[in-house]
Amino acid sequence: MPDKVLDDLFHETLKDIYYAERQILKALPKMARGAQSDHLRQAFEKHRDQTETHVERLRQVFEIIGKSPRGKTCPAIDGIIEEGEEVMADFKGSPALDAGLIAAAQAVEHYEIARYGTLRQWARQLGLDDAAALLDETLTEEADTDELLTEIAESEANVEAAAPA
């Protein structure tokens, strides 16, 4: 077996996040429909639009490295999304639903932040400056989404979840 190098790891991780983003595109409309707060629903809808752009940027990165855009099943994101679906089922109609949806969405965001941060650094190491710039753009948007979700949690969702019935 030949030795694998950073190029190989970069490509494999790129396939991982490509799959993840496409799964997230499917999950966000469900989360938006499940949200009780208009503010949270709008945040999910906005992030769905951003995620379409993230997928397009990933396609550009694949092009930069001369590979076809292809995903690789990612059990981590599948599990995180499944947990979000469980929250929607278990807390439907309850004051804690939006807080649970935010927690699930932030688990997704943190996964993405970890992946994009790593890919950006590897792209820099590999001299793929155009790819690094694209990945950095997405990383910034993921971090902004995480901050927005924290703001909604602290100002609305957690307060409502903690209120006595």
Side-chain angles (χ1 to χ4, degrees):
M1 175 189 274
D3 288 339
K4 299 233 178 197
V5 295
L6 189 57
D7 279 325
D8 301 309
L9 191 55
F10 181 82
H11 183 227
E12 288 301 308
T13 306
L14 193 61
K15 291 191 300 188
D16 178 282
I17 195 64
Y18 185 71
Y19 172 88
E21 289 286 23
R22 293 176 66 209
Q23 294 306 113
I24 293 163
L25 272 176
K26 294 176 190 174
L28 280 166
K30 295 176 196 171
M31 294 176 79
R33 283 191 302 274
Q36 297 175 130
S37 150
D38 286 338
H39 199 192
L40 182 56
R41 183 175 5 279
Q42 290 166 4
F44 286 149
E45 289 168 352
K46 176 184 176 190
H47 195 59
R48 188 197 182 288
D49 294 343
Q50 283 182 326
T51 302
E52 288 177 347
T53 302
H54 300 168
V55 169
E56 183 51 41
R57 283 188 198 128
L58 289 171
R59 288 184 181 129
Q60 292 174 40
V61 174
F62 277 107
E63 188 176 311
I64 289 168
I65 64 169
K67 305 279 186 184
S68 297
R70 224 179 64 223
K72 173 179 90 171
T73 301
C74 172
I77 203 66
D78 288 341
I80 292 169
I81 290 171
E82 185 179 322
E83 285 180 10
E85 291 169 353
E86 287 174 10
V87 166
M88 284 191 286
D90 294 349
F91 290 87
K92 185 176 182 175
S94 83
L97 175 62
D98 283 354
L101 283 173
I102 290 170
Q106 285 189 300
V108 169
E109 291 308 310
H110 293 187
Y111 179 81
E112 291 176 295
I113 289 166
R115 284 290 186 232
Y116 281 110
T118 297
L119 283 166
R120 179 194 60 192
Q121 291 308 113
W122 288 346
R124 288 177 179 162
Q125 180 69 37
L126 294 167
L128 302 169
D129 296 336
D130 291 344
L134 290 166
L135 295 163
D136 188 59
E137 240 181 299
T138 299
L139 178 60
T140 297
E141 290 172 359
E142 300 292 8
D144 290 348
T145 296
D146 183 51
E147 286 179 33
L148 175 61
L149 290 169
T150 295
E151 184 180 300
I152 296 170
E154 291 174 350
S155 66
E156 298 173 30
N158 294 350
V159 174
E160 290 175 24

